[in-house]
Amino acid sequence: MPLTRSFVLTGLLAACALPALAATQSPSYGPQLQGFQYPYPVEHFDFQSQGQSVQMGYMDVPAKSPANGRNVVLMHGKNFCGATWEASIKALSEAGYRVIAPDQIGFCTSSKPEHYQYSFQQLAINTHQLLQKLGISTATLVGHSTGGMLATRYALLYPTQTEQLALVNPIGLEDWKALGVPYRSVDQWYERELKLNADGVREYERKTYYDGRWKPEYERWVDMLVGLNQGPGHKRVAWNSALIYDMIFTQPVYYEFKDLQIPTLLLIGTSDITAIGSDNAPPEVKARIGRYNELGKQVAKLIPHSTLVEFPGLGHAPQMEEPARFHQALLQGLKAL
């Protein structure tokens, strides 16, 4: 399984269903985000999975200050990408960490298979294979949004190879289907994803991620997501996205938080209200899901070796809203290992 280097710098995808509103003009990117500029060189890991050849894009950034010998793997969210970790990669690298930021299969600079059975176990196995090829035997995992679900699953599968977990506003802190959110089929998700546009993404993220606020620097990430979804591979991208939404909704990690034996740092923006399918939920259900000001505290009690750090007033992506404040807490938490 060779490692091949790609000089096409690309990037994408976190958490909830994005409503379609009036369209605005957005860039168009290739099916593996060709044309989108990533902050560091993107390489590709070619391997076999489920009887087919696939490519996994990733950034491998060495420590810039004297290396501390530790490796950090950054796991992106559903509507985010390895590229959205830009500020975190810089902060961690300057603090002495080697940083690996992969794009999972189905996302961003990675393959969008025509047929793929998505599971968090499969994505964890893919990531483990990448780390093996890079000669990394142990790592700290930092997972944001859907990446928090994946990081949890990875730690449960590979406990002796996981030094520490840091979960940044992870989704899956509750089981939406058990709380009364109606099931949406893959076909229904697919139809929604085909209609995705910039105005809808921007308004959803403003209300759900950023507590009603918006900054000009967020536009780059709207362009990234919409440019991929409206590019020449839009049907394949939309289909993979639909399969991934189904995975997120039907494969909760909530019931296994109690089994984590890894030191776990919970970094929670308390204004976050992200919940898969909340737009499709009855009002009485919607009113009680996605409340991170409560969920962080509840899950901290479930995880045996957890430390909770809350960011009052911040939303779903504190690492992007207030990077300096977030990274101070992250680096302090990682040193506490």
Side-chain angles (χ1 to χ4, degrees):
M1 294 182 286
L3 285 170
T4 61
R5 185 171 184 83
S6 169
F7 291 95
V8 178
L9 304 183
T10 48
L12 176 134
L13 290 158
C16 193
L18 301 176
L21 303 178
T24 59
Q25 188 66 35
S26 296
S28 177
Y29 300 121
Q32 289 182 231
L33 257 183
Q34 293 92 338
F36 183 84
Q37 184 76 19
Y38 261 40
Y40 300 92
V42 175
E43 304 188 45
H44 282 92
F45 171 42
D46 296 286
F47 63 106
Q48 294 291 312
S49 180
Q50 299 186 16
Q52 57 194 309
S53 298
V54 292
Q55 269 194 344
M56 192 172 181
Y58 68 96
M59 293 175 285
D60 183 358
V61 181
K64 289 188 177 179
S65 65
N68 60 21
R70 293 180 64 186
N71 308 293
V72 173
V73 179
L74 302 177
M75 296 180 166
H76 62 79
K78 170 67 176 68
N79 300 313
F80 297 79
C81 246
T84 54
W85 284 115
E86 180 174 1
S88 299
I89 294 172
K90 182 176 185 293
L92 287 162
S93 175
E94 289 178 349
Y97 295 89
R98 178 184 179 183
V99 185
I100 313 299
D103 287 331
Q104 298 298 325
I105 297 299
F107 295 86
C108 316
T109 63
S110 296
S111 297
K112 317 293 184 302
E114 184 175 357
H115 303 287
Y116 206 68
Q117 182 174 333
Y118 280 98
S119 69
F120 286 112
Q121 285 89 341
Q122 179 67 72
L123 299 184
I125 290 168
N126 295 348
T127 305
H128 187 251
Q129 289 180 323
L130 169 63
L131 297 183
Q132 284 183 311
K133 291 296 294 185
L134 295 175
I136 296 173
S137 57
T138 59
T140 288
L141 308 180
V142 180
H144 171 231
S145 191
T146 299
M149 296 181 76
L150 174 56
T152 300
R153 177 59 58 202
Y154 187 103
L156 290 166
L157 281 177
Y158 304 106
T160 62
Q161 296 173 52
T162 306
E163 286 185 329
Q164 190 175 13
L165 279 179
L167 305 179
V168 185
N169 281 75
I171 60 170
L173 299 184
E174 54 193 344
D175 182 354
W176 309 286
K177 60 181 172 26
L179 294 172
V181 177
Y183 177 73
R184 181 179 271 139
S185 71
V186 171
D187 290 325
Q188 289 171 322
W189 280 117
Y190 176 63
E191 290 303 318
R192 287 182 61 85
E193 291 301 281
L194 286 175
K195 298 173 185 176
L196 188 127
N197 62 68
D199 288 346
V201 170
R202 187 182 302 107
E203 182 60 13
Y204 165 76
E205 293 188 353
R206 183 187 67 80
K207 289 165 52 178
T208 307
Y209 290 177
Y210 304 118
D211 197 26
R213 300 179 297 272
W214 192 257
K215 297 179 182 178
E217 54 263 38
Y218 300 157
E219 286 295 327
R220 181 184 175 201
W221 311 122
V222 173
D223 287 343
M224 177 188 69
L225 177 61
V226 177
L228 177 70
N229 279 265
Q230 293 185 348
H234 70 283
K235 289 185 177 180
R236 183 73 67 86
V237 170
W239 181 248
N240 276 262
S241 183
L243 294 174
I244 290 164
Y245 271 127
D246 189 72
M247 172 189 71
I248 296 168
F249 190 82
T250 62
Q251 299 179 27
V253 296
Y254 172 79
Y255 304 103
E256 295 167 271
F257 284 133
K258 62 180 175 54
D259 300 323
L260 284 171
Q261 297 302 316
I262 310 300
T264 301
L265 183 65
L266 283 167
L267 298 154
I268 304 294
T270 60
S271 293
D272 191 4
I273 56 170
T274 303
I276 290 287
S278 61
D279 62 308
N280 197 38
E284 65 275 12
V285 173
K286 185 173 182 178
R288 66 174 187 264
I289 59 176
R291 305 301 168 186
Y292 277 75
N293 58 330
E294 301 172 2
L295 291 171
K297 297 179 181 69
Q298 292 170 6
V299 171
K301 294 178 181 178
L302 297 177
I303 299 174
H305 309 288
S306 67
T307 301
L308 174 63
V309 178
E310 293 184 316
F311 301 98
L314 298 188
H316 190 61
Q319 76 277 23
M320 297 161 67
E321 285 188 273
E322 292 193 15
R325 179 179 169 194
F326 171 83
H327 292 121
Q328 181 180 10
L330 174 64
L331 292 172
Q332 182 176 345
L334 295 187
K335 283 182 180 178
L337 178 65

